[in-house]
Amino acid sequence: RPAACAPIIARRRPAAHALRAGAVPIVDATSVRMSAPPSGTAAPALDYRAAGIDYDLIDPLKVAAQRSAAATAAQLHDHGFAEVAASRGESAYVIDVGPFYLASIVECLGSKALVADEMARLTGRSWYDAIAQDTIAMAVNDLITVGATPLVVQAYWAAGGSEWFADRERAQALVAGWQRACEACGIAWGGGETPALAGIVEAGRIDLAAACTGIVNPKSRLTLGERLGPGDAIVLVASSGIHANGLSLARKLVERLPGGWLSEVSPGLSYGAALLAPTVLYAPLTEALHRAGITPHYAANITGHGWRKLLRHPKPLRYRIDCVPEVPAVLRFIQQHAGLGDHEAYGTLNMGAGFALYVAAADAARTVEVAAACGLQALVAGHVEAGEKELRVEPLGLQYDAGELQLR
């Protein structure tokens, strides 16, 4: 990290929810090198497309769906409400109901539950308390990007058969973790759906999702980028690890590791356990910023597409990063053993930055202080400039242009 970054970094206190290796067996670090390729060849890089995820195929459907969805907005007028059109294409949808705004979002966990299942088989313990937090974080961390206070979350737990619920330890861990995550964010758990979908969901597996509704009150808290502009500071808030994006790549990588899930990432920490570190819940931070009188000009949840998400707002602006956060050991491990260059790694994974806040330059240092008071490490990583829409990560010599993120 450049020396100039040091004064503007606030160290995170150890999180109470951090997973410990405990009695989990570890395979010695010398055994986790990639399997040797055939003589005269090099092991091919294992990117997201090779792991079965191709955003070039997925994103066009998202754009088409947004355009069709926009045509339904007039239905709100019959109820005396209106959509906030600028929220189309953002991480949460916002409607104007008069004295305040309402925001909503639905998100699924993805394939992280498969890692929990494999680690349960190897260690004899349930990891679904952390998986519950991951699921809620996927929805809540998107919702708060528009300035909303999360109010209610609904659960969707679709199992491959009724038998999934018969494992009482696993089921109770899911329930307890869900409740704790709600309490950490100050939200109510309204209810949910628990279908048994044999023939749709694989037997012994579960598909987890959450829907969340929040309130933007006062209306001045709305954060859709209208105030985003040159001179704004970019504050990056640390992740706890991979969070819940990039797991398809992480699971595919296991095929290259002689030690599998128990390969050592760092002393005493297995690959599987490191992947299962729960996603950080950033709602306490955004609420603390409001109490401190800081209203971000924009915010981005760094999930799929990695740091390309910093380009999410449609304004033609340049985002220059001068300092990069420390990369969690598990993400550095994935990059090394998957053979990813920095451009692919930072364009796919969070690489240590789980959430981005774009704030007035005068509020930057205080934003870092508020994050530290919430137990989160943050740093003033860069700034916004006038210019063509692009992201430049100067310490790594990386550049991403507008064409590398098409979400609208």
Side-chain angles (χ1 to χ4, degrees), residues 25 53 73 103-104 131 166 174-175 206 276 291 293-294 315 362 367 391:
I53 307 297
S104 59
I131 287 296
L174 177 59
V175 170
I206 193 166
L276 289 169
R291 292 193 295 271
I294 298 173
K315 284 184 179 179
T367 298
L391 167 66

Side-chain angles (χ1 to χ4, degrees), residues 58-125:
I58 298 171
D59 289 345
L61 174 62
K62 293 182 180 180
V63 173
Q66 286 180 45
R67 290 170 180 167
S68 292
T72 69
Q75 310 298 328
L76 291 170
H77 299 161
D78 295 339
H79 307 285
F81 304 139
E83 77 166 11
V84 178
S87 68
R88 290 280 180 189
E90 292 296 333
S91 293
Y93 180 60
V94 183
I95 63 173
D96 188 342
V97 296
F100 49 79
Y101 298 114
L102 289 179
S104 59
I105 180 66
V106 60
E107 277 287 338
C108 76
L109 172 66
S111 63
K112 194 168 183 177
L114 299 179
V115 182
D117 293 341
E118 292 302 309
M119 286 299 289
R121 178 179 60 81
L122 293 168
T123 66
R125 57 155 287 191

Side-chain angles (χ1 to χ4, degrees), residues 12 32 34 42 72 77 83-84 146 175 181 189 192 194 198 238 271 299 320 359 363 377:
R12 180 178 65 188
V32 302
M34 286 184 285
T72 69
H77 299 161
E83 77 166 11
V84 178
V146 300
V175 170
W189 177 4
T194 56
Y271 181 54
R320 190 181 300 275
V359 300
D363 290 332
Q377 180 178 323

Side-chain angles (χ1 to χ4, degrees), residues 163-369:
E163 297 77 13
W164 193 95
F165 302 99
D167 184 333
R168 295 188 62 82
E169 178 187 1
R170 180 174 58 187
Q172 287 304 311
L174 177 59
V175 170
W178 199 275
Q179 180 180 348
R180 281 196 299 271
C182 288
E183 291 169 346
C185 294
I187 57 179
W189 177 4
E193 172 75 351
T194 56
L197 301 179
I200 298 177
V201 177
E202 184 180 348
R205 305 297 192 185
I206 193 166
D207 179 33
L208 301 173
C212 192
T213 302
I215 185 173
V216 182
N217 187 30
K219 282 186 167 182
S220 58
R221 284 192 66 181
L222 188 65
T223 306
L224 292 175
E226 291 91 342
R227 296 183 295 274
L228 178 66
D232 284 348
I234 303 171
V235 176
L236 297 180
V237 190
S239 68
S240 59
I242 197 169
H243 284 183
N245 292 92
L247 271 299
S248 294
L249 173 61
R251 290 189 300 107
K252 187 70 174 177
L253 179 59
V254 170
E255 299 173 8
R256 294 188 176 186
L257 303 177
W261 299 108
L262 301 182
S263 301
E264 188 176 63
V265 168
S266 60
L269 181 64
S270 72
Y271 181 54
L275 290 175
L276 289 169
T279 303
V280 176
L281 296 162
Y282 295 107
L285 170 58
T286 53
E287 290 303 296
L289 288 172
H290 174 59
R291 292 193 295 271
I294 298 173
T295 300
H297 293 176
Y298 193 60
N301 185 22
I302 302 176
T303 53
H305 302 88
W307 283 36
R308 289 179 289 162
K309 279 286 178 69
L310 297 176
L311 289 163
R312 180 164 197 145
H313 198 272
K315 284 184 179 179
L317 295 168
R318 178 180 296 121
Y319 306 93
R320 190 181 300 275
I321 301 297
D322 303 307
C323 306
V324 296
E326 181 178 353
V327 179
V330 68
L331 296 180
R332 187 64 74 198
F333 181 93
I334 291 171
Q335 181 182 8
Q336 175 189 351
H337 290 270
L340 300 178
D342 283 342
H343 191 274
E344 181 71 24
Y346 279 80
T348 303
L349 306 168
N350 70 63
M351 299 304 282
F355 202 80
L357 293 159
Y358 305 72
V359 300
D363 290 332
R366 201 151 55 97
T367 298
V368 172
E369 293 171 359

